[in-house]
Amino acid sequence: ESLFAAELLNPGSEIWIVSPWVSDIPLLDNRAGAYSGLESSWPKRFITLAELLAHALKTNPATVIRVVTRPDDTNIRFTERLRFLAELDGNGDRLRIDNQRPELHTKGIATHSFALIGSMNLTSNGLSVLEEAVDLNIDPARIAQFLITLKGYYAG
């Protein structure tokens, strides 16, 4: 939750979401209106991953979001929702979705301020049920190294 809130306060030029399985999981608990400073129109409920990513596109016209995942129905539903939300605000052109990677096993989130790398899929099970190991990097050199790796594999 805090990683995404911090990213929305100071959005960078790229956000990478790489996960074999991803769904529109609830990420920010706004039930008490604690995140209304980030977006005053958000309802008092959990804000989902797709809503957060669409908001990042809306608030920083330089941000590009890249989502890489497998061709699974759940993943496709998530990417279609994200594309719909991005296009509602006229930002669909800065969304790059590759949901045609059947062998994808890499898992990570990378922005200009952090890289979260590990075994966790971006699903309810990945966040709340299964035992997962992740490594949070805030060192600029490590972040840059992970971004170079992602670009080498998935941006070409």
Side-chain angles (χ1 to χ4, degrees):
E1 186 172 275
S2 61
L3 290 173
F4 278 94
E7 182 63 25
L8 293 176
L9 285 171
N10 182 24
S13 61
E14 283 185 301
I15 298 174
W16 281 82
I17 306 289
V18 180
S19 180
W21 293 277
V22 60
S23 57
D24 201 12
I25 51 177
L27 281 181
L28 287 186
D29 184 354
N30 195 46
R31 291 177 294 178
Y35 292 104
S36 61
L38 289 174
E39 176 55 61
S40 60
S41 69
W42 278 343
K44 289 185 177 179
R45 61 166 172 76
F46 277 91
I47 308 303
T48 69
L49 177 58
E51 292 169 322
L52 293 173
L53 294 174
H55 181 73
L57 288 172
K58 184 169 100 173
T59 57
N60 184 356
T63 298
V64 172
I65 294 178
R66 298 178 184 275
V67 178
V68 182
T69 191
R70 290 181 176 189
D72 176 81
D73 288 343
T74 299
N75 300 337
I76 292 169
R77 277 192 301 277
F78 167 76
T79 57
E80 286 176 352
R81 174 157 163 70
L82 176 56
R83 183 171 307 284
F84 173 78
L85 293 173
E87 289 176 356
L88 274 178
D89 293 324
N91 298 312
D93 61 325
R94 292 183 290 116
L95 181 60
R96 311 287 187 270
I97 295 174
D98 179 353
N99 55 11
Q100 298 301 312
R101 300 278 182 157
E103 291 85 25
L104 181 69
H105 192 67
T106 303
K107 300 166 188 84
I109 301 170
T111 72
H112 74 292
S113 58
F114 74 89
L116 187 66
I117 308 163
S119 66
M120 178 182 70
N121 287 300
L122 291 171
T123 63
S124 293
N125 278 344
L127 291 180
S128 303
V129 177
L130 301 174
E131 291 182 15
E132 304 287 359
V134 294
D135 182 28
L136 174 61
N137 291 291
I138 57 171
D139 174 51
R142 298 282 310 270
I143 296 168
Q145 181 181 21
F146 188 52
L147 285 169
I148 288 169
T149 299
L150 293 177
K151 289 175 187 178
Y153 281 127
Y154 307 115

